[in-house]
Amino acid sequence: QTISRLDWVCPISQDGVNTLANLYPQLAHRLQLFRLGVEDGQMGSRPSSDHVLRIVSCSTLTPVKRVGLIADALALCDFPVHWTHFGRGEQRTLLERKAAALPAHVQVELKGYVDNPTLLQYYRENPVDLFLNVSSSEGLPVTLMEAASYGIPIAATSVGGVNEIVSPRSGWLLPANPSPQQIVDVLREAAKLSPTQRREMAHAAHQLWQQRVNAAVQYPAFCQFLKTQLSQKLAS
């Protein structure tokens, strides 16, 4: 009923387009993909140099984000890890409890809420080896776009439009419902990357940003689309 009364519906992921087209095939002609975008991080992040795997995650601490699953996985790690999480929410106390029980070679920083400039400054000023997302549901996360623009390899659950910003060349697509051990296996692979492999992943991540979620391309294209549609409507 809603779509039939609109001129266009513009999902931000191909997954969104496909979902709506499958649900309402008679209205598929009103769908047009326009992804969001972020500015160029110019591959401004760097990897660790001390054999500690440095992981960043960024999300609200809510059940759908499953951040506690990261802690469950880290409990199984037998190699040095430093995990930094940005974001706040109702599961903070639960996460603190899990973090306190982790082995000594797993260090955790729960940063809470920070504004976007502070997060991006962190990427520029601190080594980051992997961005990790284990959500049970997503659209096309801006946090993954930002990580890709900074040349950070990504490991994320293959839900929603995540596979539109993560590829096997730029990171790892986890199952939609990964076990802690499956996450650990990916973390171990990330920890074992050679400098050349890490560099290749960084370039592949940045290339995906350039091709699909570059704000300097995405937003002017959407504006031009709206101007064209409005001109045609006024002309008729």
Side-chain angles (χ1 to χ4, degrees), residues 205-224:
H206 190 261
Q207 187 176 43
L208 271 176
W209 164 83
Q210 175 70 53
Q211 292 171 347
R212 295 183 176 177
V213 291
N214 180 349
V217 175
Q218 296 302 109
Y219 293 120
F222 186 46
C223 288
Q224 185 57 53

Side-chain angles (χ1 to χ4, degrees), residues 10-108:
C10 300
I12 60 167
S13 69
Q14 187 60 52
D15 178 71
V17 173
N18 295 344
T19 298
L20 289 174
N22 288 333
L23 287 171
Y24 312 110
Q26 75 279 12
L27 297 173
H29 62 284
R30 300 192 186 196
L31 304 175
Q32 179 69 45
L33 170 65
F34 281 103
R35 294 188 179 96
L36 302 180
V38 298
E39 295 181 355
D40 190 0
Q42 299 180 333
M43 296 183 59
S45 185
R46 68 184 190 278
S48 301
S49 57
D50 59 359
H51 305 293
V52 175
L53 180 69
R54 285 181 168 80
I55 302 166
V56 166
S57 55
C58 179
S59 72
T60 55
L61 297 176
T62 52
V64 71
K65 299 299 184 181
R66 298 191 298 201
V67 179
L69 184 57
I70 297 177
D72 295 340
L74 293 178
L76 303 178
C77 280
D78 57 1
F79 50 91
V81 178
H82 187 282
W83 172 37
T84 303
H85 179 78
F86 294 92
R88 64 189 174 192
E90 64 198 66
Q91 295 192 324
R92 169 90 187 200
T93 301
L94 172 63
L95 191 59
E96 288 175 339
R97 189 161 61 245
K98 288 190 174 190
L102 291 173
H105 57 272
V106 178
Q107 300 297 307
V108 179

